[in-house]
Amino acid sequence: DNLHLSRPTMVEERTLSAACAINFTSPVPSTVADYIRESLAENTRVAYLNDLAHFESWGGQIPASPETIAEYLVAHADVLSVATLNRRLAALSKVHRSRGCGNPTSVEVVKATLRGLKRIKGTAQRQATPLIKEDLFVVLEAMGQRLKDVRDRALLLIGFAGGFRRSELIGLNCNDVILVRQGLEVTLRRSKTDQNGAGRKIGIPHGRGRWCPVAALEQWQAASGISEGAIFRPVDRHDRVGPKRLSAEGVCLVVRERVQAAGIDPGNYSGHSLRAGLATSAAQAGVSSWKIRQQTGHASDAMLVRYIRDGELFIDNAAGALL
């Protein structure tokens, strides 16, 4: 969710499409390439293209030797995180296998180099700061009544209540949301863990207090006049609503700007802070992990463990029972 990557051109897209056809060593027809391109999520395609471009700008070539890739890792050990280096290896592995070459990333010299980097640098990843319920309410209190405020209020509340990823939040269309007696029934057509579009439904209930996600969304749609297509769209300084969908980066900017305006250090807040905030706040409230997963769509408790662990730091705390 925190990548800031340049979008590929159509020529680059077709190049990667052909490259990602397993066992294809010659160009494939454009019609075939279109389907191959769709075998990868858009963000994955963009990430792979940027990773390969970075490797080649450093001086690497495909096919590459294991020693060259090990040198590449070492050359960037001080400027790239272990997580980023892992993704670079995944991209290099993919393109080598696609072209029918041996996979140099699986050779011991590369694996040993990466293990050494992990021991030296550690593997802890920078995590988005959760926007927990209490801080979310502080942020909402600091907002005004202009059209952008109305949109941002709906964006924050829906993003938090649904535990949505940025891509899921900005991907919502008007016909994906149905008002029912209990609140909103939201259909996610596609998500990071559902690339084949099986879809899943999420319930967003009416709020019990002042900040109701259902009411906030209704206010935004009424004020903006949006009745079809993308729900969340850009709003300029003249309160004009744009025709296109809000970008993932736009969600990140909204979160950071609104947190800062409320007097909270924006620090590591990002678009992922809404999703992390729901999971952490729910854990603090004693909600079971499987019910949290039902809302967020996490594949397993293992993916939720850091939120639950952070949310329960002070629940039945051993030191609290003594001091």
Side-chain angles (χ1 to χ4, degrees), residues 56-267:
E56 291 177 345
S57 67
W58 171 75
Q61 293 181 331
I62 306 297
S65 69
E67 291 75 18
T68 297
I69 292 179
E71 289 177 13
Y72 172 75
L73 293 176
V74 173
H76 297 91
D78 293 331
V79 293
L80 297 178
S81 68
V82 171
T84 300
L85 291 174
N86 267 321
R87 200 191 68 232
R88 295 276 160 87
L89 288 179
L92 291 170
S93 171
K94 180 74 171 180
V95 74
H96 277 86
R97 288 185 290 111
S98 306
R99 297 181 182 181
C101 305
N103 182 5
T105 67
S106 63
V107 176
E108 181 59 24
V109 65
V110 176
K111 292 183 175 181
T113 301
L114 187 61
R115 286 197 299 269
L117 290 175
K118 289 178 178 179
R119 287 179 63 86
I120 293 172
K121 297 184 63 174
T123 57
Q125 296 185 35
R126 189 186 65 151
Q127 296 181 11
T129 301
L131 184 58
I132 60 174
K133 182 188 72 172
E134 291 77 12
D135 289 339
L136 173 62
F137 289 174
V138 171
V139 169
L140 295 171
E141 288 282 0
M143 293 169 64
Q145 293 300 324
R146 295 193 61 180
L147 187 60
K148 189 174 186 298
D149 297 308
V150 175
R151 184 206 63 184
D152 289 357
R153 189 158 38 245
L155 184 78
L156 294 176
L157 281 167
I158 293 295
F160 178 89
F164 292 131
R165 299 176 177 88
R166 291 184 306 171
S167 58
E168 295 168 347
L169 185 57
I170 63 173
L172 290 177
N173 293 322
C174 291
N175 61 359
D176 295 329
V177 180
I178 300 175
L179 180 64
V180 295
R181 181 176 59 83
Q182 300 94 331
L184 298 175
E185 186 179 282
V186 181
T187 300
L188 285 183
R189 306 293 177 184
R190 192 181 298 272
S191 68
K192 181 179 179 181
T193 54
D194 178 23
Q195 294 298 326
N196 293 327
R200 69 184 184 92
K201 291 185 178 180
I202 297 169
I204 296 181
H206 293 284
R208 293 175 294 179
R210 178 183 176 188
W211 305 116
C212 173
V214 180
L217 184 61
E218 289 181 323
Q219 289 166 8
W220 160 241
Q221 289 188 281
S224 64
I226 294 174
S227 59
E228 61 181 16
I231 293 177
F232 294 112
R233 308 182 188 189
V235 177
D236 67 19
R237 59 196 180 107
H238 302 294
D239 278 351
R240 291 179 299 211
V241 180
K244 296 183 178 180
R245 198 177 299 277
L246 188 67
S247 68
E249 178 64 17
V251 176
C252 182
L253 291 174
V254 167
V255 172
R256 291 180 62 85
E257 288 173 1
R258 292 303 183 177
V259 164
Q260 188 169 30
I264 301 173
D265 181 0

